[in-house]
Amino acid sequence: MKLLKNSLSLGLSAMALAFAGPALAQHEGHEGHEGHENHQSTPTTVATTSLPAAEVEVATPALWKVADEDSTIYLFGTVHALPEGLEWYAGPVKDALESADILVTEIPMGKEDEAKMAQYALAQGMLPEGTTLRSLLDEEENATYAEAMGKLGMPANAFDRFEPWMASLTLTMLPLLQQGYSADAGVEKRLINIAGEDMAKGALETIEFQIGIFDGMPQDEQVDFLISTAGQVDKAKPMLDEMVAEWVEGDPDGLAELMNKGFEDDAELAEVLLYKRNEDWAGKIEEKLEGAGVIFIAVGAGHLAGDRSVQDYLAERGIETVRVQ
């Protein structure tokens, strides 16, 4: 895997949201036992800045539907973390969810699922005893990583127990959480809260599958991902600001251009993380059309944008997708 141009495209996955909290808790639990370097550091508090998109009174993110005689499936592209106060739940999106019998997300995302996700990630993402994250890095990589951790107010040894992929996902989220983004304000969390206990919930993938995508990377690719992420901690929020601005305007083509930059030089990675999953999801949507009722499917907006999107794979199956908003 070549060094990613935009690690945010890879790292801002549904399960990345679960990692920053457990990672920090893990650091707190081990801080007194794993050396004392940089322990005077404390997480940096960074002033929240307003998104350009936040000036929009009500966002109008893209919404599509597919339908046959007895079933309707809505496809809604999400952003997994958003700034507080950005309003988007209105109009066709609100109407679609209120009409639905079931809410389907990429992976199970209820409160009990969050705990399971964090627990499983910690179990899969730990290095063997006697091996540290920084021992896997060369001198230049260690310098890049230490600089990034310092910018976040974290000691360099904070994630020494983590495999590179888990440290990478944590580094993807931390600068966003420090600068005003919130997982609780993310689209899936809000949809689940609005749907409440009475609406049935479903998922297109398992927690184990999504974590396996990253955990299954060869170690050198994981290190590439880590160093790319570390080199862009200053850019994480501006990059996501741009993505959210396109999402707010309902511009899937603009969003796809931003989100897919990281895959320009790595067709194999794009195949695994985007295209193969889009194709699989199209197959599952086709199966769901064989039933009856209304289904609201909410997945990362990058899967519903650009070439070889879920809609493109549905078209290959002869299923028409109609833009609703």
Side-chain angles (χ1 to χ4, degrees):
M1 181 175 73
K2 299 179 179 68
L3 194 65
L4 292 175
K5 292 181 179 180
N6 180 357
S7 63
L8 194 65
S9 299
L10 174 57
L12 194 55
S13 56
M15 69 271 195
L17 300 175
F19 291 167
L24 289 171
Q26 186 75 13
H27 161 59
E28 293 293 332
H30 286 82
E31 185 171 352
H33 305 287
E34 297 191 5
H36 301 279
E37 62 178 295
N38 294 327
H39 281 189
Q40 71 276 14
S41 298
T42 55
T44 303
T45 301
V46 184
T48 303
T49 56
S50 298
L51 285 171
E55 298 175 4
V56 178
E57 185 174 342
V58 178
T60 55
L63 176 71
W64 294 264
K65 74 173 182 179
V66 297
D68 60 14
E69 296 81 2
D70 57 358
S71 58
T72 298
I73 299 177
Y74 290 98
L75 303 176
F76 186 48
T78 69
V79 180
H80 304 307
L82 284 171
E84 297 285 355
L86 181 59
E87 186 53 60
W88 51 266
Y89 186 69
V93 174
K94 183 174 184 290
D95 294 341
L97 184 64
E98 288 181 349
S99 71
D101 305 304
I102 181 170
L103 170 62
V104 177
T105 49
E106 288 184 33
I107 55 176
M109 295 188 72
K111 289 184 179 179
E112 67 283 357
D113 301 308
E114 289 181 17
K116 176 184 176 182
M117 190 190 313
Q119 193 172 45
Y120 185 76
L122 286 171
Q124 297 299 114
M126 290 295 183
L127 289 166
E129 289 288 345
T131 303
T132 66
L133 175 64
R134 289 174 297 159
S135 73
L136 305 178
L137 311 180
D138 62 29
E139 184 176 353
E140 183 178 352
E141 290 166 343
N142 262 303
T144 299
Y145 175 69
E147 181 180 3
M149 294 293 279
K151 289 176 179 178
L152 297 173
M154 300 291 291
N157 69 339
F159 306 144
D160 266 0
R161 292 295 314 283
F162 291 171
E163 293 185 6
W165 68 267
M166 187 164 179
S168 302
L169 293 180
T170 305
L171 282 181
T172 298
M173 289 307 304
L174 282 179
L176 301 174
L177 298 179
Q178 288 181 348
Q179 297 183 73
Y181 276 84
S182 166
D184 290 334
V187 174
E188 286 89 350
K189 285 278 191 78
R190 188 165 178 205
L191 289 172
I192 288 169
N193 288 337
I194 292 170
E197 297 293 331
D198 293 337
M199 184 179 290
K201 310 295 190 305
L204 296 173
E205 296 174 343
T206 65
I207 291 168
E208 292 81 2
F209 174 82
Q210 278 210 3
I211 289 177
I213 293 174
F214 294 91
D215 192 37
M217 286 181 179
Q219 185 172 285
D220 61 338
E221 295 186 5
Q222 293 187 34
V223 169
D224 278 354
F225 178 24
L226 174 63
I227 299 309
S228 177
T229 303
Q232 298 180 56
V233 291
D234 291 335
K235 300 176 182 178
K237 182 179 181 295
M239 279 192 275
L240 190 55
D241 285 353
E242 287 187 63
M243 293 178 188
V244 171
E246 299 292 351
W247 179 80
V248 161
E249 295 294 334
D251 183 0
D253 292 332
L255 182 63
E257 184 178 351
L258 290 170
M259 293 193 73
N260 296 334
K261 281 181 181 178
F263 303 112
E264 287 177 353
D265 296 328
D266 202 325
E268 183 178 351
L269 187 65
E271 193 71 36
V272 172
L273 289 171
L274 283 178
Y275 307 139
K276 181 64 170 66
R277 295 169 71 205
N278 291 349
E279 185 176 18
D280 288 346
W281 293 355
K284 291 177 180 179
I285 291 168
E286 183 178 33
E287 291 174 3
K288 292 179 185 300
L289 278 173
E290 295 175 2
V294 180
I295 302 173
F296 190 104
I297 297 180
V299 297
H303 293 282
L304 304 178
D307 295 333
R308 299 179 66 184
S309 64
V310 172
Q311 299 95 311
D312 288 341
Y313 284 111
L314 286 170
E316 289 181 4
R317 295 170 177 269
I319 299 172
E320 180 185 12
T321 306
V322 178
R323 177 82 180 260
V324 178
Q325 171 172 285

